[in-house]
Amino acid sequence: MSSTIPTALITGASEGIGKAIAHKFADHGYNLVLAARHSDRLEATATELRQQAPSVTVLTIPTDVREATQVNDLIYKALERFGAIDVLVNNAGIYISGPAEEFSLEDWQQTINTNLWGYIHTIHALLPHLIERGSGIIVNIGSIGGKVPPALSCPLCH
Ligand SMILES: NC(=O)c1ccc[n+]([C@@H]2O[C@H](COP(=O)([O-])OP(=O)(O)OC[C@H]3O[C@@H](n4cnc5c(N)ncnc54)[C@H](OP(=O)(O)O)[C@@H]3O)[C@@H](O)[C@H]2O)c1
């Protein structure tokens, strides 16, 4: 069912910048789809948002953005509930720092799988819907570290 109230889907919405973005969208009357891995923190954020903006609907969908199948499920459930997604905010990210020679391959893989593939997974799953509708906005949260690399922050990957 399509809603006239716009909907924003935010990854990494349980903490930090993603949570702050969710509060801003709630202030502007958007329905919200919140994604992150840990459902307890996600639910705590949803409770705050429902208290802040009782008129908006907040849907939490525990998701690991590194997993394409989970992201496909996220997009499917969001569309099933709201009929459309007007804004996708790719925000879920991890940060590790230190001398590059001390990073394990696992460190590199986890960072790239989250900060790069996580964004690709959501875009790949949602883009056909946005094209079909002829509208929609994708916001990819990056880092100034991708433009001016600071010391000891090699795998920022933004
Ligand atoms: N804070 C900064 O100074 C800064 C600077 C430059 C860029 N950024 C970028 O801004 C974004 C947000 O940063 P932040 O500092 O707000 O981060 P944060 O406070 O550590 O929050 C990260 C959020 O992402 C979620 N997340 C992490 N891995 C995930 C995964 N695999 N799947 C789904 N959700 C995942 C976390 O929840 P779960 O752990 O429950 O999954 C949490 O909700 C990141 O992309 C970061 O690179 C931040």
Side-chain angles (χ1 to χ4, degrees), residues 9 21 25 87-91 119 123 137-142:
L9 186 157
I21 291 170
F25 275 105
V87 183
L88 163 66
V89 182
N90 276 318
N91 166 78
Y119 286 35
I123 292 169
I137 294 169
I138 297 173
V139 179
N140 294 318
I141 302 296

Side-chain angles (χ1 to χ4, degrees), residues 12-17 36-38 41 63-66 91-94 114 119 141-143 158:
S14 59
E15 292 184 274
I17 293 170
R37 290 167 299 178
H38 297 92
R41 291 202 289 260
T63 306
D64 187 334
V65 297
R66 295 170 296 184
N91 166 78
I94 56 172
T114 308
Y119 286 35
I141 302 296
S143 170
H158 279 300

